[in-house]
Amino acid sequence: MKIIITGASGNIGSRLFSYLKENKKDEIVGLTKDQEDGLENTDYSVNNLANIFKGADVIIHLAARRGTENNYSLFKENEKLTENILKAMVNANVKRIIFLSSIAVYSDQKAIPWTEEQELFPQSAYGISKQKCEQLIKNYSLKGIEYTIFRCSVVYGGDVLKRMISIFIDNAKAKEKLLLNGNSIAKRDFIYVGEVINALVWSVYEFKTTNQIYNLGSGEPLTNLEVATKINECFDNVGNLTYNDSIKETIINSYFDTSKIKNAGYKHLYSFWEGLQKIKLEDK
């Protein structure tokens, strides 16, 4: 089997590439815009991708612009990139794509926990771009491309964007005080990066049904206070927390129903606590 990974220099892509190289006998090709040892450089143009895709069995599409800026023009490149990949697949006669989408495609607070079947109303520019990429992939199923789409919750472990969890973990490791501003009410789902790798590998080797969308998360929604408390406990920093609950928090509930992927036979490996333990072990 020949497996192509786009975005193979990113947090998830680099871990997936290393895992497959170490544990599988298949031909694994990792793509990146940068010059990195062991990876193939690409400009993600249709012609360049079509040449690379020749003989491939599956494309794992992880490449994407990420960020919290709510400026849609910044994320338009995600759609162009996805369209180029799909065009190149058609040109190279590659029939299968696995795409990592996002929980950001959801927003309706009245419909929580979110399910795969409900109508999407993304509120962020990033979420809109992911929804449009999903639609492009669905459209190309009419041209014979089979897809699996994972709508992934917030990933922790090696977070290059330095969001809340990674900041809390860094502070807890350094035995510094965790600062939490805002009354901790909203619950969100977080997923350990190793769980995402596990799901992608499962999709390639074990899962046979095609043209499906799955929510991929821990199924364990937590408040920010619960997150901070667990992190402090894991990294031996218990009680070293300042919690100002006089401020109204600005985040909203963000979690979904994960029963569909479980019913498809997927077995989760990591709870939130177990993910933290893995991060702790990686530092030793």
Side-chain angles (χ1 to χ4, degrees), residues 125-137:
Y126 176 69
I128 293 170
S129 76
K130 284 293 186 178
Q131 180 192 19
K132 290 184 177 294
C133 289
E134 286 189 18
Q135 189 59 55
L136 280 168
I137 292 170

